[in-house]
Structures are given as structure tokens and as C-alpha cells.
Amino acid sequence: MTIVFASNNEHKIREIKNILGNSFTLLSLSDINIKEGIPEDESLLEGNALSKARYIHNATGMNVFADDTGLETDALNGLPGVHSARFAGESKDPSANIEKVLSLLGSTENRKARFRTVIALIFEKKEYLFEGIVTGTIISEKRGKEGFGYDPVFIPDGKKQTFAEMELDEKNTISHRARAFEKLREFLNQYTLSNNKETI
Ligand code: IMP
């Protein structure tokens, strides 16, 4: 069974291929020759993920999933949330985004935050949502060189290192995205089993 991941992000495509294994043929947007940018202007992660998946499903009729992720802080009522990529402007500059979060948090003691990934799947014409969350703390200065985005200021609960100080493999076992992808994998595997097929 072939399924489209509505993304051209090489890093994510590798990660999800790793999780899904060989039972599925995974195609990226460039594999199906879709070059235009897909609008991401909804006010919730769920809305963005669904609108990307629907856009590709309407264009191709194929089974498809799309994801959207945000950093949600307690003290800022969930910001940057759905605005995470462009929090400090259209240039999507990760350092500027981090500076903006740190300056809005100021010296507040409540540093609780979470990364949340939502995956929208359109499968056999039905829509499904999967969520992955990792909770943690925002520290006040950047640490580490790995990862991307807000990783240098986020320490997941139960760990001492920021995501940017961890090996990618370690981050990938506990990350929001890995947890959401894992739920997608379970769903698709369940479908395979209940239909008594080796592959779907
Ligand atoms: P996307 O939906 O995966 O493109 O993520 C939107 C934005 O959330 C990114 O541009 C990053 O700023 C942030 N983000 C998503 N995932 C991560 C992560 O694993 N670590 C740090 N920041 C992330």
C-alpha cells in the first residue's frame, strides 16, 4: 500500500520511514511532483495538519498524512503554539524565535512547556488525528548544538540535557514527533492485521 507524507522535509521523511518499516511505500511531495507551497494558516495544529492532508487528498485521491508541531508554554498560555515556526517573523529564524520566547518569559518561575505534534491522516477516505506530546522545561540560555528549532532551550522531563545536547537517536525515542508517528504506525499495523494482509 502506498501512502503520501505531505512533506519535503528530508529529516522527517527518514524518521518516519524508519518507524513505519517496509510494509508501506512512503512518497514525499516531490515524489508525487507537488511543488507548490501548501497553505498553513489555521489557528490550531489540528487545523493545519488536516488542511495539508485534505489539500493533497483532493489533488491526488491518495491516502495521505500531514503533521504540524508547536512548542506550547504554560506561562504564555500555549504560545508560540501554532505560530512556532514564524514566532519572530517570516524568516523562520530559530535564534530569533528562541530570543522572543525567552524575552516574553522574562524571569517567570513557571517554565513548563511541551512540544505537541498532530498528525492528520486521510485513509480510505476517512480522517483520523494522532497526537504526540513531550513535556519539559524552558531554560533561560541556549545549550547544545544538535537538533533544530527550540531544542537548545528545552529539557524534557526526567532528563538533564536539552534536546540540542542529546544524540538524535535519544531525542527520537522520546520526542513528540516520534510518539505521534508511533501511534500512526500502530493504527496502520492494526489495519493490516484486521484485514489479514501482509501489506496494505
Ligand atoms: P513543523 O510543524 O514540524 O514544521 O514545526 C513547526 C515549528 O515548530 C518548527 O519550525 C520549529 O520551530 C518547531 N519545532 C518542531 N519540532 C521541533 C523539535 O523537535 N524541536 C524544536 N523545535 C521544533
Side-chain angles (χ1 to χ4, degrees):
M1 160 69 77
T2 299
I3 190 158
V4 176
F5 181 22
S7 173
N8 272 329
N9 179 323
E10 282 302 322
H11 168 85
K12 286 189 196 171
I13 292 165
R14 263 203 314 279
E15 193 177 322
I16 184 69
K17 275 191 174 158
N18 215 15
I19 291 171
L20 288 184
N22 295 328
S23 317
F24 310 93
T25 304
L26 198 71
L27 300 179
S28 68
L29 289 181
S30 61
D31 290 331
I32 57 169
N33 225 8
I34 292 196
K35 296 193 177 79
E36 68 263 30
I38 308 175
E40 288 188 61
D41 44 18
E42 299 290 326
S43 57
L44 296 173
L45 298 175
E46 284 79 357
N48 266 344
L50 268 172
S51 73
K52 284 189 276 185
R54 284 176 186 155
Y55 184 96
I56 299 303
H57 182 71
N58 291 340
T60 64
M62 297 174 83
N63 292 327
V64 54
F65 63 92
D67 71 329
D68 201 26
T69 294
L71 173 72
E72 301 176 335
T73 62
D74 248 30
L76 304 176
N77 296 319
L79 283 176
V82 75
H83 310 290
S84 292
R86 296 175 174 79
F87 198 42
E90 282 304 312
S91 64
K92 297 190 185 178
D93 176 2
S95 297
N97 286 338
I98 289 177
E99 289 316 317
K100 184 166 176 186
V101 168
L102 293 184
S103 107
L104 288 173
L105 284 176
S107 56
T108 181
E109 279 180 18
N110 181 0
R111 316 293 292 191
K112 280 194 218 156
R114 62 185 196 169
F115 279 113
R116 193 164 73 91
T117 292
V118 173
I119 295 174
L121 169 71
I122 303 180
F123 189 74
E124 311 269 287
K125 305 207 184 330
K126 287 200 195 124
E127 295 182 347
Y128 305 87
L129 289 173
F130 305 92
E131 183 186 60
I133 289 175
V134 59
T135 55
T137 305
I138 302 289
I139 56 171
S140 31
E141 48 195 56
K142 295 198 256 181
R143 279 178 15 202
K145 298 262 177 270
E146 303 297 323
F148 70 102
Y150 299 88
D151 281 348
V153 290
F154 183 83
I155 300 184
D157 287 342
K159 303 281 179 185
K160 293 202 163 51
Q161 294 174 309
T162 66
F163 265 162
E165 291 176 304
M166 288 179 190
E167 297 290 330
L168 193 57
D169 278 356
E170 185 179 359
K171 178 186 170 189
N172 283 347
T173 55
I174 56 170
S175 84
H176 41 296
R177 204 169 7 263
R179 287 175 176 166
F181 280 153
E182 193 57 39
K183 288 184 183 171
L184 173 69
R185 185 186 69 81
E186 276 167 24
F187 173 89
L188 292 172
N189 280 355
Q190 205 52 44
Y191 178 91
T192 313
L193 286 176
S194 63
N195 283 274
N196 202 19
K197 295 175 189 161
E198 259 180 39
T199 56
I200 57 173

